[in-house]
Amino acid sequence: MLAFIGGTGLTRIEGLTLRKQHAITTRFGEASAPVAEGELNGAPVLFLARHGDPHVRLPHQVNYRANMLALKEAGATEIVAVNAVGGISVDTGALVLPEQIIDYTWGRDGTFFDDPDEPLVHVDFSWPFDAALRERLKGALAAAGAPWVDGGCYAATQGPRLETAAEIRRLEQDGNTIVGMTGMPEAVLARELQLPYAMLSLVVNPAAGKADREITMAEIEAVLHGGMARVRAVLAALAAHHPRP
């Protein structure tokens, strides 16, 4: 079943006909919110609010392992994750399908394979986002008529503060094009669970030092308001063309 993870600005999906909610407690604790199961454009889908509903968990406080296990236990077979990000070399308001990720986070539980009594597994993570799912997302973006950027690299930073201008210069030198706080360990946990995973990112502000003004929450919220409407249209288009079981 196709699953969506909503980030900042997307705690619900309009048009989702709710059938049931799965309140799942995993061996790593509770997910951020119950997993909503329903239909979107006639397709069965799952939805999980990454930060809770309402938004209560900061990026480093999200129980990513519980979230991913809860989605799998609820029946997810592939995941599209929505992220609000800063633009390093991408304009504000753009939708981005990144193809790479660099992890700058620390102290997060980033694997399911840390039990000393269980076998250690090293997963290949050369290409963190599923190619087939990205191609279907491209079709959904075209169907929704939403302008978008294909490719680029997502820098996963710790948060919750925004970055310094010097940090953004460093990230840009590393090859990053957008910056967010939730892409890791979410993406690698999906890989460990063998769940195809792709990211749809909305650029809500210029990264630090990329504009001659202070970044304000008012500016970010204004972009979120309009941008998430386009995100929902893309998700609806993806669901409409999702293979039926």
Side-chain angles (χ1 to χ4, degrees), residues 85 90-96 147-149 201-204 230:
V85 300
V90 182
D91 292 337
T92 299
L95 291 172
V96 184
W148 55 283
V149 176
S201 299
L202 171 66
V203 180
V204 296
R230 288 183 285 126

Side-chain angles (χ1 to χ4, degrees), residues 42-58:
V45 299
L46 299 171
F47 178 78
L48 175 63
R50 181 187 290 116
H51 300 278
D53 183 13
H55 187 297
V56 292
R57 290 176 176 81
L58 298 174

Side-chain angles (χ1 to χ4, degrees), residues 4-7 32 48-51 59 62-65 67-69 71 79-83 101 103 105 108-112 125 128-129 154 156 181-193 195-200:
F4 302 124
I5 299 176
S32 296
L48 175 63
R50 181 187 290 116
H51 300 278
V62 172
N63 190 337
Y64 294 95
R65 292 192 296 185
N67 281 357
M68 303 309 284
L69 272 183
L71 283 171
I79 296 172
V80 173
V82 176
N83 311 80
I101 193 166
D103 187 9
T105 66
R108 302 184 183 189
D109 293 320
T111 182
F112 293 113
F125 202 51
F129 304 119
Y154 177 110
M181 303 174 187
T182 57
M184 289 292 287
E186 193 174 270
V188 73
L189 291 171
R191 180 62 52 86
E192 289 187 351
L193 291 174
L195 290 173
Y197 175 100
M199 186 181 289
L200 178 62

